Amino acid sequence: MSEDKKVFPTDRTFTLVEVVEGTSPLIAKEPDDTVPTYPHLLLTEAVAALFVLLGLLIASIFFNAPLGELANPLVAENPAKAPWYFLGLQELLLHMHPVFAGVIIPATVLLGLLAVPYFDFGPKGEGVWFSSRRGVGCALLCGGTTLVAIPFALYLSGANPTNAIVVDLKTLALPQLISTGLIPYAAMLLSLTLLYVLCRRLLGASRREALVGVFTALVLGMVILTLTGLYFRGVGWKFFWPWDPTRLLHG
Amino acid sequence: MSRTLPGRIWRSIYRQPFADEEREGARVINDSLLMHLHPVKLRRHGLSITYTFGLGGISFLLFIVLTVTGVLLMFQYLPTTEQAYADIQRLSGEVFLGQLLRNMHRWAAHAMVLAVFLHMCRAFFTGSYKPPRSFNWAVGVGLLVLTLLLSFTGYLLPWDQLAFWAITVGTNIAGYAPLVGRALRSFLLDGIVVGQGALLRFYVLHVVVLPLVLALLVGLHFWRVRKDGGISGPPLPGGGHE
Ligand code: HEM
């Protein structure tokens, strides 16, 4: 007891229970920037939830979910479209070997996503959108390039009866898996690598900042392909303007 | 013990009166189930709407909406090639509020795919996948795949032309997988074409298997958010790091 008093001269109201590694909002309390969860967070959540539900209700009152004719295996839909979130893949399928468009590319994207934190693990840039000014620069550079390059490639392929972008890969004297599979796949990986290197060299970006650029390119690329499938493809999977009345002729 | 009945009911659920000061507010969290979802205090930064846009929470809310409307739809729907389409038609015509129910389920499903995708982009662009959150990012990738599969399996159920051909296109893509593709496709379809077998499989996956797995994974996801120190944020000015 007296020993205790010597070490802790005041009447302490706390006790050291355990030393934990890592952190919690309560560790670096200077200056204290925490707020109580109730009411702050709970009210924000409640209001946000009400808005989402309201929006959903209004949309559901005014717009009916589509319902086509009864399924008929003998009469193909033209165009037969996958659900919208797979339309990017369906667009790739037009230009590439199905093993690559349908399997290897999605698998690469998923594995890439899983791998990101194990290659970019430094704490720098956490908690800030795009990490830094330079991160924004990388996003703009890569995003801008994608916004120009992919529509341009689609335009070239649309002007070509074989859907080829530059050369018709199908005519190369190689197995299809290589000519329309491996070659465009490698070209894609190369473009992304090039964007990465460009961010690093040209903008002096860190690994994380350059990754922000590559991710932007990837996401925008998928968005563009998806929108193309959704609004610019019609009968026979040909290009149409979204407002062209002949675009979707069912049955 | 409260003297009024509403008061007694309130106290049976929450152990304290309606909270209007900070200490009481802390108990709202700490004494209830909310403790498992939220910390008592959080960094002001995590509250900022333009940081998370609440997208994870919105994804979760939509999942709940989908569960509720989905269960209600199940009361009106039989997954057979003879009955399914007629059931959906009946739902849109005769069933009280049936069309609204179906609309809500459909639009919430689209919205959830979008919200989950945007939530992933938010987590990426704010560097929220960095340690200690790397594993939760991986859980997130699993959630993204599950969300897509849930939506995809639901797409077939109305058994109309759109559904039939979309699933035909979609499962054809799966069929291209090297080595396992054909097996995967015939496992999904229970045959070589989209038919009764496929409808039943998609139905069971859609209403039982996938939602269950997704719910479990969401539980893990939320638990990890807490264990990883709450929402990510920039290093604290005092030199401490989160
Ligand atoms: C059903 C799908 C999902 C639900 C319901 C969900 C829910 C949530 C919620 C409520 C949070 C708390 C912060 C916030 O609202 O932003 C969160 C955080 C997080 N989620 Fe998700 N999520 C889902 C899918 C994903 C996906 C697809 C990813 C990424 C691939 C992901 C990665 C993360 C990460 C890394 C955090 C921590 C963020 C931080 O600390 O700033 N989640 N999630």
Side-chain angles (χ1 to χ4, degrees), chain B residues 73-94:
Chain B
L73 286 173
M74 281 174 74
F75 284 118
Q76 298 288 342
Y77 174 88
L78 217 60
T80 66
T81 52
E82 291 90 42
Q83 199 53 44
Y85 183 73
D87 279 344
I88 301 293
Q89 273 183 324
R90 205 171 39 79
L91 199 68
S92 327
E94 296 159 33

Short mmCIF file of all heavy atoms in Angstrom, two decimals, chain B residues 73-94:
data_model
loop_
_atom_site.label_atom_id
_atom_site.label_comp_id
_atom_site.label_asym_id
_atom_site.label_seq_id
_atom_site.Cartn_x
_atom_site.Cartn_y
_atom_site.Cartn_z
N LEU B 73 -41.47 -10.96 -51.79
CA LEU B 73 -41.67 -11.49 -53.15
C LEU B 73 -41.77 -13.01 -53.14
O LEU B 73 -42.52 -13.60 -53.92
CB LEU B 73 -40.50 -11.05 -54.05
CG LEU B 73 -40.47 -9.59 -54.49
CD1 LEU B 73 -39.18 -9.27 -55.23
CD2 LEU B 73 -41.66 -9.29 -55.39
N MET B 74 -41.02 -13.63 -52.25
CA MET B 74 -41.02 -15.10 -52.21
C MET B 74 -42.42 -15.66 -51.94
O MET B 74 -42.74 -16.77 -52.37
CB MET B 74 -40.06 -15.61 -51.14
CG MET B 74 -38.61 -15.59 -51.58
SD MET B 74 -37.52 -16.04 -50.23
CE MET B 74 -37.81 -17.81 -50.15
N PHE B 75 -43.23 -14.89 -51.22
CA PHE B 75 -44.60 -15.36 -50.94
C PHE B 75 -45.43 -15.46 -52.20
O PHE B 75 -46.49 -16.08 -52.21
CB PHE B 75 -45.30 -14.41 -49.96
CG PHE B 75 -44.84 -14.56 -48.54
CD1 PHE B 75 -44.23 -13.52 -47.87
CD2 PHE B 75 -45.02 -15.76 -47.87
CE1 PHE B 75 -43.80 -13.66 -46.56
CE2 PHE B 75 -44.59 -15.91 -46.56
CZ PHE B 75 -43.98 -14.86 -45.91
N GLN B 76 -44.98 -14.80 -53.26
CA GLN B 76 -45.80 -14.69 -54.47
C GLN B 76 -45.19 -15.39 -55.66
O GLN B 76 -45.65 -15.22 -56.78
CB GLN B 76 -46.00 -13.21 -54.82
CG GLN B 76 -46.73 -12.42 -53.77
CD GLN B 76 -48.20 -12.77 -53.71
OE1 GLN B 76 -48.76 -13.35 -54.64
NE2 GLN B 76 -48.83 -12.42 -52.60
N TYR B 77 -44.13 -16.11 -55.47
CA TYR B 77 -43.35 -16.56 -56.62
C TYR B 77 -42.98 -18.03 -56.53
O TYR B 77 -42.52 -18.51 -55.49
CB TYR B 77 -42.08 -15.72 -56.71
CG TYR B 77 -41.12 -16.18 -57.77
CD1 TYR B 77 -41.23 -15.73 -59.08
CD2 TYR B 77 -40.09 -17.08 -57.47
CE1 TYR B 77 -40.35 -16.16 -60.06
CE2 TYR B 77 -39.22 -17.51 -58.44
CZ TYR B 77 -39.35 -17.05 -59.74
OH TYR B 77 -38.48 -17.47 -60.69
N LEU B 78 -43.18 -18.74 -57.63
CA LEU B 78 -42.82 -20.15 -57.70
C LEU B 78 -41.75 -20.33 -58.79
O LEU B 78 -41.98 -19.94 -59.93
CB LEU B 78 -44.06 -20.96 -58.08
CG LEU B 78 -44.24 -22.32 -57.43
CD1 LEU B 78 -44.31 -22.20 -55.92
CD2 LEU B 78 -45.52 -22.95 -57.97
N PRO B 79 -40.61 -20.92 -58.48
CA PRO B 79 -39.53 -20.98 -59.47
C PRO B 79 -39.69 -22.13 -60.46
O PRO B 79 -38.83 -23.01 -60.54
CB PRO B 79 -38.28 -21.16 -58.61
CG PRO B 79 -38.77 -21.92 -57.42
CD PRO B 79 -40.19 -21.49 -57.19
N THR B 80 -40.77 -22.16 -61.21
CA THR B 80 -40.91 -23.18 -62.25
C THR B 80 -41.12 -22.48 -63.58
O THR B 80 -41.66 -21.37 -63.62
CB THR B 80 -42.13 -24.09 -62.00
OG1 THR B 80 -43.32 -23.31 -62.13
CG2 THR B 80 -42.08 -24.70 -60.63
N THR B 81 -40.68 -23.14 -64.64
CA THR B 81 -40.79 -22.50 -65.95
C THR B 81 -42.25 -22.28 -66.34
O THR B 81 -42.56 -21.43 -67.16
CB THR B 81 -40.10 -23.34 -67.03
OG1 THR B 81 -40.61 -24.68 -66.94
CG2 THR B 81 -38.60 -23.38 -66.83
N GLU B 82 -43.18 -23.04 -65.76
CA GLU B 82 -44.60 -22.82 -66.08
C GLU B 82 -45.15 -21.62 -65.31
O GLU B 82 -45.99 -20.89 -65.80
CB GLU B 82 -45.47 -24.03 -65.72
CG GLU B 82 -45.26 -25.26 -66.57
CD GLU B 82 -44.19 -26.15 -66.00
OE1 GLU B 82 -44.16 -26.33 -64.78
OE2 GLU B 82 -43.34 -26.64 -66.78
N GLN B 83 -44.68 -21.47 -64.06
CA GLN B 83 -45.36 -20.55 -63.16
C GLN B 83 -44.65 -19.20 -63.00
O GLN B 83 -45.31 -18.17 -62.80
CB GLN B 83 -45.49 -21.23 -61.79
CG GLN B 83 -46.53 -20.64 -60.88
CD GLN B 83 -47.90 -20.56 -61.54
OE1 GLN B 83 -48.34 -21.49 -62.21
NE2 GLN B 83 -48.54 -19.41 -61.40
N ALA B 84 -43.32 -19.18 -63.09
CA ALA B 84 -42.55 -17.99 -62.70
C ALA B 84 -43.04 -16.73 -63.41
O ALA B 84 -43.36 -15.73 -62.77
CB ALA B 84 -41.07 -18.23 -62.97
N TYR B 85 -43.09 -16.79 -64.73
CA TYR B 85 -43.44 -15.59 -65.50
C TYR B 85 -44.85 -15.11 -65.16
O TYR B 85 -45.08 -13.91 -64.95
CB TYR B 85 -43.32 -15.91 -66.98
CG TYR B 85 -43.58 -14.74 -67.90
CD1 TYR B 85 -42.65 -13.72 -68.01
CD2 TYR B 85 -44.75 -14.66 -68.65
CE1 TYR B 85 -42.87 -12.63 -68.85
CE2 TYR B 85 -44.99 -13.58 -69.49
CZ TYR B 85 -44.05 -12.58 -69.59
OH TYR B 85 -44.28 -11.52 -70.42
N ALA B 86 -45.76 -16.06 -65.06
CA ALA B 86 -47.14 -15.70 -64.72
C ALA B 86 -47.21 -15.07 -63.33
O ALA B 86 -47.98 -14.14 -63.10
CB ALA B 86 -48.04 -16.94 -64.78
N ASP B 87 -46.39 -15.58 -62.42
CA ASP B 87 -46.37 -15.00 -61.07
C ASP B 87 -45.93 -13.54 -61.10
O ASP B 87 -46.49 -12.70 -60.40
CB ASP B 87 -45.42 -15.80 -60.17
CG ASP B 87 -46.08 -17.07 -59.64
OD1 ASP B 87 -47.32 -17.15 -59.73
OD2 ASP B 87 -45.36 -17.95 -59.15
N ILE B 88 -44.92 -13.26 -61.92
CA ILE B 88 -44.44 -11.88 -62.00
C ILE B 88 -45.51 -11.00 -62.63
O ILE B 88 -45.76 -9.87 -62.19
CB ILE B 88 -43.13 -11.80 -62.82
CG1 ILE B 88 -42.05 -12.67 -62.17
CG2 ILE B 88 -42.64 -10.36 -62.92
CD1 ILE B 88 -41.58 -12.19 -60.85
N GLN B 89 -46.19 -11.53 -63.63
CA GLN B 89 -47.26 -10.76 -64.25
C GLN B 89 -48.38 -10.48 -63.26
O GLN B 89 -48.90 -9.37 -63.16
CB GLN B 89 -47.84 -11.53 -65.44
CG GLN B 89 -47.09 -11.27 -66.73
CD GLN B 89 -47.75 -11.99 -67.88
OE1 GLN B 89 -48.26 -13.09 -67.73
NE2 GLN B 89 -47.72 -11.37 -69.05
N ARG B 90 -48.74 -11.51 -62.50
CA ARG B 90 -49.78 -11.37 -61.50
C ARG B 90 -49.37 -10.33 -60.45
O ARG B 90 -50.15 -9.50 -60.02
CB ARG B 90 -50.01 -12.73 -60.83
CG ARG B 90 -51.38 -12.93 -60.23
CD ARG B 90 -51.56 -14.39 -59.81
NE ARG B 90 -50.34 -14.94 -59.23
CZ ARG B 90 -49.95 -14.72 -58.00
NH1 ARG B 90 -50.68 -14.00 -57.19
NH2 ARG B 90 -48.83 -15.25 -57.55
N LEU B 91 -48.10 -10.39 -60.11
CA LEU B 91 -47.55 -9.45 -59.13
C LEU B 91 -47.73 -8.02 -59.61
O LEU B 91 -48.08 -7.12 -58.85
CB LEU B 91 -46.07 -9.77 -58.95
CG LEU B 91 -45.38 -9.27 -57.69
CD1 LEU B 91 -45.91 -10.00 -56.48
CD2 LEU B 91 -43.89 -9.50 -57.82
N SER B 92 -47.48 -7.81 -60.90
CA SER B 92 -47.56 -6.45 -61.42
C SER B 92 -49.01 -6.01 -61.61
O SER B 92 -49.29 -4.82 -61.65
CB SER B 92 -46.84 -6.35 -62.77
OG SER B 92 -45.74 -7.22 -62.79
N GLY B 93 -49.91 -6.96 -61.73
CA GLY B 93 -51.28 -6.59 -61.99
C GLY B 93 -52.19 -6.70 -60.78
O GLY B 93 -52.76 -5.71 -60.35
N GLU B 94 -52.29 -7.89 -60.22
CA GLU B 94 -53.34 -8.13 -59.24
C GLU B 94 -52.92 -7.95 -57.79
O GLU B 94 -53.71 -7.50 -56.97
CB GLU B 94 -53.87 -9.57 -59.41
CG GLU B 94 -54.53 -9.80 -60.75
CD GLU B 94 -54.58 -11.27 -61.10
OE1 GLU B 94 -54.70 -12.10 -60.17
OE2 GLU B 94 -54.49 -11.59 -62.30
#
